[in-house]
Amino acid sequence: MKKALIFQGGWQGHEPEKVAGILAGILEEEDFNVKITNTLTTLQEDDLTQYDLIVPNWTQGTIEKDQLQPLIDAVAQGTGLAGLHGGMGDSFRMEVDYQFMVGGQWVAHPGNDGVSYNVHILDRDDPLTKGISDFTVVSEQYYMHVDPAVKVHATTPFPNAEGPYQTNGEVDMPVVWTKRWGKGRVYYNCLGHVSEIVRMPQVMDLMKKGMTWASR
């Protein structure tokens, strides 16, 4: 049986405990033994290389170097990394090494919550998106700074809400991407502002495919 670690916490507006429970449920259905922790000290106390997958679910916050480095090293050695929304894409804003590993960083959500936007699947034959059609989300629409090395699997069009960024014209912003970090696989999904969005069938399916793909 594969082993997964979910560390949850940080800003409570993203409902980290509820979201962690949903993600754990997906993994348990895929026959993972899942450990959920609400403290970052687990990252320095556990041998992280024992896990096949680590799921960050910690928005903002701060992390000590002796907590972050074991995480970075474990992924480089082959432990998978997968997560969603601010729980992985807006964690530990001062830690550029973490952002480098993840492949991007949240910078804005023009229009804030309640924006209706389309998610476009780029390749419906890809195992990470197979069987999923384009769909609409009413939530935050993440504007990200993205590593050009990532492989993009889904996008969303900007501008959608008013703002000074509109003068730059139309862009397709990555929503789902993958990359490699040493021997490890990294999967990120921008969706999932609150548990209600995570429970959308398309988001659940994307996360199931992504987390199992990223796993060692």
Side-chain angles (χ1 to χ4, degrees):
M1 179 178 287
K2 290 190 174 184
K3 297 178 66 175
L5 173 68
I6 301 175
F7 61 91
Q8 63 89 10
W11 185 62
Q12 293 298 301
H14 281 160
E15 301 179 346
E17 185 174 358
K18 288 183 179 180
V19 171
I22 296 170
L23 298 178
I26 295 172
L27 289 170
E28 287 166 353
E29 288 184 357
E30 296 300 308
D31 209 26
F32 279 77
N33 183 337
V34 182
K35 174 178 177 176
I36 301 177
T37 180
N38 62 3
T39 173
L40 296 176
T41 59
T42 302
L43 301 179
Q44 62 196 120
E45 293 173 348
D46 284 11
D47 173 10
L48 299 185
T49 62
Q50 72 177 293
Y51 296 105
D52 300 288
L53 177 71
I54 296 177
V55 180
N57 192 40
W58 199 288
T59 303
Q60 300 174 33
T62 58
I63 188 170
E64 301 297 327
K65 292 294 184 183
D66 58 358
Q67 297 166 345
L68 176 58
Q69 196 59 52
L71 175 62
I72 291 174
D73 292 344
V75 178
Q77 293 174 47
T79 296
L81 188 77
L84 48 66
H85 203 63
M88 179 165 156
D90 189 24
S91 312
F92 322 127
R93 291 180 180 177
M94 297 300 293
E95 303 298 339
V96 293
D97 289 341
Y98 173 82
Q99 296 165 19
F100 192 14
M101 176 175 64
V102 169
Q105 168 64 33
W106 172 86
V107 292
H109 39 58
N112 299 311
D113 197 8
V115 173
S116 179
Y117 60 94
N118 184 62
V119 174
H120 174 56
I121 304 298
L122 296 184
D123 182 1
R124 295 181 187 176
D125 292 325
D126 189 292
L128 286 169
T129 51
K130 191 174 182 63
I132 303 173
S133 301
D134 293 2
F135 60 100
T136 300
V137 180
V138 180
S139 182
E140 292 180 341
Q141 186 184 27
Y142 264 21
Y143 201 101
M144 308 287 294
H145 284 175
V146 182
D147 181 348
V150 304
K151 179 179 180 181
V152 179
H153 300 275
T155 62
T156 188
F158 279 93
N160 201 356
E162 292 185 0
Y165 75 106
Q166 289 178 287
T167 54
N168 294 298
E170 296 181 359
V171 298
D172 289 322
M173 180 60 57
V175 172
V176 177
W177 70 67
T178 55
K179 66 174 291 188
R180 303 297 181 108
W181 185 258
K183 296 179 180 178
R185 295 180 174 189
V186 178
Y187 175 89
Y188 177 68
N189 184 335
C190 289
L191 305 173
H193 176 52
V194 289
S195 57
E196 180 183 3
I197 302 300
V198 180
R199 289 193 183 99
M200 290 179 63
Q202 298 93 334
V203 179
M204 294 279 283
D205 198 11
L206 285 168
M207 290 309 298
K208 179 180 73 172
K209 296 177 190 300
M211 290 190 294
T212 54
W213 172 85
S215 173
R216 190 197 315 272

